Amino acid sequence: MTSAVTGPVQADAAARTLGTPATATATCPPGTVLLGGGASATTSLGTQLDRVALAESAPVAPNLWRATAMTLHQLSAANRARILVWVVCTV
């Protein structure tokens, strides 16, 4: 069996306020099967990293992985919560 990593898929939260989520999904290519996946939470500027956290990272369909990052504290004006998601699929 051979595997391939797909992603990362990136999404930024629309706002920078407390409780604002950033959600993204990564999908296996047609004809492959999801083996696993993962995610990381960061910020769009790479600063204030202690203000965001990974809230969810899990398979939600046979070929789809979803993850959500949450803003725990107010971010600076130009900063947003960012989520990166990837999947590992059989080939």
Side-chain angles (χ1 to χ4, degrees):
M1 175 173 42
T2 305
S3 62
V5 176
T6 301
V9 175
Q10 175 182 305
D12 290 344
R16 58 187 176 82
T17 56
L18 173 68
T20 303
T23 299
T25 58
T27 306
C28 289
T32 64
V33 178
L34 176 70
L35 293 176
S40 64
T42 187
T43 61
S44 57
L45 297 180
T47 60
Q48 299 179 305
L49 298 177
D50 61 331
R51 297 182 179 203
V52 297
L54 189 61
E56 169 199 42
S57 178
V60 292
N63 68 339
L64 184 69
W65 196 274
R66 179 177 62 209
T68 301
M70 294 297 289
T71 304
L72 303 176
H73 300 283
Q74 184 80 16
L75 295 170
S76 63
N79 218 358
R80 301 289 182 264
R82 174 170 287 171
I83 185 82
L84 300 172
V85 185
W86 58 91
V87 289
V88 178
C89 313
T90 62
V91 177

